[in-house]
Amino acid sequence: MNLREQSLADLALNINGAAALLRQHHLDYCCGGKQSLAEAAAAAEVDVACLEGELAALAKTPVAQDWRQAGLLELIEFILQRYHEVHRQQFPELIALAQKVERVHAGKPQVPAGLALQLQALGDELESHMQKEERVLFPMIKSGMGRHAAMPISVMEKEHDDAGEMVVQIMQLTHQLSLPEHACTTWKVLYQGVDEMLGDLMDHIHLENSVLFPRALAGES
């Protein structure tokens, strides 16, 4: 199978650096990971041949960490530490920065009016989501009951989709994180932080949707 026929999720898993490249082109490898590269590129009006060439170049470097080969307990602990704890640190700071930018630059072109509220909504949704995983789903998987976790997993996947829609709203509100020429340092730090948070969130969702959940449902212990 050539690269353009592979799903975005598989490309993100199999090629070191593919996730960052796909995100750079606004291709959703987490919630929309089942799309083929050709389908996603056509929808986003991206040159698939150029993208395929960039992915082929990246494919020459071995994947740094293949979580499909790790134990489920190790994978869950990684998700908790790398994503759950990091998200809890990211949102309060980003919300405060957004409030400052909206207040100081009110009325200026491209000011992301409403961004603080959008970040608050996403942060609240994500906190509720992570608590469900920590209190219900992850303990089920750890105890070897992943095969019976179809219902909670379906709920988590639906919430992933909901988070993906909120991400789209944030990107629209910020004009794809495009900074105006007059942007101050706080504005620049805000957009850099939002970009890092969204990258983490996409990787978080991708790791659960494409690796943890399928393996748990397959009955791995």
Side-chain angles (χ1 to χ4, degrees):
M1 182 184 298
N2 61 38
L3 292 177
R4 68 180 63 192
E5 293 175 350
Q6 293 184 39
S7 71
L8 299 184
D10 284 343
L11 291 169
L13 284 172
N14 295 327
I15 299 178
N16 201 32
L21 178 62
L22 293 173
R23 185 165 172 262
Q24 178 183 332
H25 291 282
H26 307 294
L27 301 182
D28 181 6
Y29 56 89
C30 54
C31 299
K34 293 181 180 179
Q35 299 179 88
S36 70
L37 178 65
E39 293 169 337
E45 298 182 346
V46 175
D47 185 338
V48 68
C50 181
L51 191 53
E52 193 173 27
E54 292 181 85
L55 287 166
L58 290 174
K60 297 176 182 179
T61 303
V63 175
Q65 172 67 61
D66 188 348
W67 287 106
R68 292 168 296 182
Q69 307 302 320
L72 291 188
L73 293 181
E74 181 184 358
L75 176 54
I76 288 173
E77 287 306 312
F78 174 77
I79 290 172
L80 290 171
Q81 294 177 24
R82 175 61 183 84
Y83 298 115
H84 286 211
E85 291 306 314
V86 170
H87 288 323
R88 287 179 172 127
Q89 295 169 13
Q90 290 171 324
F91 279 91
E93 180 178 356
L94 291 176
I95 291 167
L97 287 170
Q99 289 172 337
K100 181 177 181 180
V101 168
E102 291 179 60
R103 181 179 67 254
V104 173
H105 299 282
K108 290 184 179 179
Q110 289 187 270
V111 66
L115 178 58
L117 290 176
Q118 288 283 358
L119 290 171
Q120 183 70 63
L122 178 57
D124 290 346
E125 177 70 21
L126 194 55
E127 178 59 35
S128 172
H129 175 85
M130 294 189 298
Q131 288 189 25
K132 291 173 189 174
E133 291 184 333
E134 293 164 7
R135 297 174 180 176
V136 179
L137 180 57
F138 289 176
M140 286 185 71
I141 296 174
K142 287 181 177 181
S143 65
M145 296 180 62
R147 190 187 298 274
H148 306 288
M151 181 58 71
I153 284 177
S154 68
V155 172
M156 295 300 98
E157 289 177 330
K158 173 59 170 61
E159 292 184 356
H160 285 168
D161 291 341
D162 293 342
E165 293 177 4
M166 298 174 80
V167 168
V168 171
Q169 294 174 359
I170 289 172
M171 292 299 287
Q172 291 174 343
L173 189 62
T174 61
H175 306 283
Q176 307 299 318
L177 297 177
S178 176
L179 287 163
E181 292 183 2
H182 58 75
C184 66
T185 300
T186 301
W187 201 333
K188 294 175 182 177
V189 171
L190 168 64
Y191 277 18
Q192 180 180 0
V194 170
D195 186 52
E196 291 175 358
M197 179 274 292
L198 294 179
D200 286 344
L201 181 58
M202 290 188 70
D203 288 344
H204 179 185
I205 292 174
H206 168 60
L207 195 55
E208 292 185 349
N209 281 0
S210 301
V211 182
L212 178 63
F213 295 168
R215 290 180 58 188
L217 289 171
E220 287 191 44
S221 59

